[in-house]
Structure formats: C-alpha cells, structure tokens
Amino acid sequence: MQHQTNSFTAILQKNKAILWGLILTVTILWGYAWILMKEVLAYMGPFTFSAFRFGTGSIVLLMIVWLSKKGFPLKQYWKQLIILGILQTSIVFLFVMYGLRFVDAGKSSVLLYSMPMWSSLLAAKFLSEKLTSAKFIGLLIGMIGLLTILGWDIWIGQDISVIFGELLIIIAAVSWAVSNVYYRIKLQHLPKVETNAYQMLFGTIGIIIATVFTEWNHPVDLNVHSIYYILFTGILASALCFTVWFLILSLIDMVTATISTLLVPIFGLLFSSLIIDETMSVGVITGSVLIIVGIIIAQVTSKWNVK
C-alpha cells in the first residue's frame, strides 16, 4: 500500500491537471457539505452531529489502516497528532457547527474560508514561504471577493447573536490555518491516511466530551435524511477529503493550496441557492467572480512550488 501511495504521489508531482482535479473534487464536496451541515440541525444538536460525523469518519479510516495492516503511530507522534486533532477537528467543527445556528450556510462557508489569509501569514512567518506578488494580488482579490459576498450587513444592522456566530466561525478559520502550518512542521512526513485517521480520532474524542457536557439530553432524530447527512459528511467530506487535503499540503506550497480552497464558498453558495433557496444576490455573483479571478492570477502567473 505504501508503494502504491508513493507511486500516486509521484504521478501528482508530475501532472498538475490531476492535482487540480483533486483540489476541485475536494472543494465541490466541501461546498455541498455546508448545506448538509446546516440542514442536519433540524434533527440534532450541532455537537451531536459533529460527534456522529467525525466518529463515522474515524471508524472508516481506522478500518482502512487496520486492513492495510498498519500499526498505531509511534509514541513520539501521539502528542503531535492530539494537538493536530484538537486544532483541525475539535476546535474548527465545534465552533463552526455552533456558529451555524446563527449564520446562513452560504455566509458561514465564506467566513471559514478566510482561512487562506491566516495560513498565508503564518506560512510566511513559520515556514519561510515567500508570498510572491502574483500570489499576494490573487489572495487580496480573493479576500475582497469574500467581503463582497458578505455584503454590508456584516458591518451594519447585525443581530448580536449573528455577530457571535460569525466570530466563532472566524476563530475556527484561524484554528484551521494554525493546524495547516503545524501539520507541515511536525507531521508532513507521515503517511496521510494514518495521520488523518488518528488526528480525526483524537479530535472526535474532544467533540464527544463537549457533546456530553452540552447536549446529553437533547433530542436526536435519526432518519433517512439525517443518516445520509452523517454518512456523506463523515465518509466523503471528512475521511476522504481531509486525507486528500493533507496530501495536497505536502505537495504544494501553503499559499497555493489554501488560496484554492476559496472555491468552496462559491460551491457552498451555489448549492445553497439550488437546494435550500438561499439568495444568489449581485454581491454574491460579483464576489464569486473576484474569487475565481484571484485564483487564476495566483496560479497562472506564477509557477507551482511542487515538492
């Protein structure tokens, strides 16, 4: 299995089209997942859903690790995996899911994907990655696109509960950015499936603890819809996508990888419009175009730093 993984990595290093195909697949799945994350709140509490979601993802990944006859990580990596799990899984999704109680699904995805800005700043500081003019301009245009999508209502006339939810999601974005840099520094050399399996397991334990203390007696409605939401987000949007995400982070520079995730809010807003009738305003369309332009400038006008 390790030989096959190395061969696949070598193919990705030589073929940017396949790598971009993976990035596009991940962003589409994450964009669609935002709709399910919002809709599932009608059936259970946000922390309970997160526990089901990442518990499912952890079980799937651990089964894959077991079937491939991989052992548990060496003890010297447990501390790092626990920290990564808390940053990447516990904090990000506890804060995001609670914030979704107050903020629309589309705008929530926009706020979380301020992550590239924080990742770029941290990468320049701790990874010594140079923020080229093209990447800086692309990132700036992308962030302007996010602000355009959010519109003036984020600055004026906001209910205090909505502001609270938005702040939680921004904190989640910062935590995700920190986890990206921490992974690159501490765990990049480890196998991707095992890394994601154990960080998700430890992160899920943190979510379960929070769920026990806050939603122990809350009603849970398990039906065809809610089970589908759990399975899709747990297996595809979590187990699969975050494994691919760690692979992408290990192959290209931080700025390139994270700027690409600005596509997620576009897909999130598109699916929100198509599935749950959230409005696609002129600001949303204009902001989406700016994000795409920003990504093109950052990628087309500069060479990928493929590792």
Side-chain angles (χ1 to χ4, degrees), residues 103-141:
V103 186
D104 288 345
K107 287 193 174 182
S108 297
S109 67
V110 171
L111 288 169
L112 182 62
Y113 286 90
S114 64
M115 177 271 290
M117 177 178 67
W118 311 115
S119 290
S120 299
L121 295 174
L122 291 170
K125 173 68 175 177
F126 296 103
L127 300 176
S128 300
E129 287 191 3
K130 184 179 179 181
L131 189 60
T132 64
S133 297
K135 289 177 181 176
F136 175 78
I137 293 171
L139 178 62
L140 180 62
I141 293 174

Side-chain angles (χ1 to χ4, degrees), residues 42-307:
Y43 303 106
M44 64 193 72
F47 295 173
T48 302
F49 165 70
S50 296
F52 276 125
R53 171 186 176 175
F54 291 103
T56 300
S58 299
I59 291 170
V60 170
L61 287 171
L62 289 171
M63 286 179 63
I64 293 173
V65 172
W66 178 71
L67 289 172
S68 63
K69 303 188 185 303
K70 298 289 183 181
F72 281 86
L74 298 176
K75 288 186 178 180
Q76 65 260 36
Y77 296 119
W78 281 25
K79 177 182 176 181
Q80 291 92 329
L81 288 166
I82 290 171
I83 293 173
L84 184 65
I86 292 171
L87 290 171
Q88 172 73 66
T89 300
S90 298
I91 294 177
V92 172
F93 289 96
L94 285 173
F95 281 42
V96 163
M97 289 306 302
Y98 197 78
L100 272 169
R101 297 180 64 181
F102 313 106
V103 186
D104 288 345
K107 287 193 174 182
S108 297
S109 67
V110 171
L111 288 169
L112 182 62
Y113 286 90
S114 64
M115 177 271 290
M117 177 178 67
W118 311 115
S119 290
S120 299
L121 295 174
L122 291 170
K125 173 68 175 177
F126 296 103
L127 300 176
S128 300
E129 287 191 3
K130 184 179 179 181
L131 189 60
T132 64
S133 297
K135 289 177 181 176
F136 175 78
I137 293 171
L139 178 62
L140 180 62
I141 293 174
M143 298 312 296
I144 292 173
L146 291 183
L147 291 175
T148 303
I149 290 172
L150 287 172
W152 286 108
D153 59 343
I154 192 174
W155 311 111
I156 57 176
Q158 285 277 47
D159 184 88
I160 188 66
S161 62
V162 176
I163 294 174
F164 175 66
E166 290 169 346
L167 286 174
L168 288 179
I169 296 169
I170 290 172
I171 293 171
V174 175
S175 183
W176 188 3
V178 173
S179 75
N180 289 336
V181 175
Y182 186 83
Y183 167 76
R184 283 280 298 274
I185 294 173
K186 300 289 187 179
L187 296 165
Q188 177 178 301
H189 59 288
L190 295 183
K192 306 303 176 284
V193 174
E194 287 86 332
T195 299
N196 194 28
Y198 295 117
Q199 75 82 17
M200 193 175 292
L201 172 64
F202 294 131
T204 301
I205 292 171
I207 291 173
I208 290 173
I209 292 171
T211 304
V212 169
F213 280 100
T214 60
E215 296 179 1
W216 180 253
N217 292 318
H218 289 205
V220 176
D221 183 5
L222 291 176
N223 54 48
V224 173
H225 298 290
S226 61
I227 291 173
Y228 166 69
Y229 299 157
I230 290 168
L231 293 178
F232 184 95
T233 57
I235 297 172
L236 295 180
S238 299
L240 172 64
C241 284
F242 278 107
T243 300
V244 175
W245 175 245
F246 288 135
L247 176 61
I248 292 168
L249 282 181
S250 67
L251 289 175
I252 58 178
D253 65 274
M254 182 73 68
V255 179
T256 299
T258 56
I259 287 178
S260 303
T261 64
L262 291 174
L263 289 170
V264 176
I266 296 177
F267 290 121
L269 289 161
L270 178 61
F271 287 126
S272 295
S273 175
L274 294 174
I275 298 173
I276 57 178
D277 297 323
E278 290 187 359
T279 305
M280 282 283 284
S281 64
V282 174
V284 167
I285 296 171
T286 302
S288 298
V289 172
L290 286 172
I291 288 172
I292 293 172
V293 169
I295 292 172
I296 291 173
I297 290 174
Q299 309 309 329
V300 174
T301 61
S302 61
K303 293 182 179 179
W304 280 28
N305 180 21
V306 180
K307 295 175 171 51

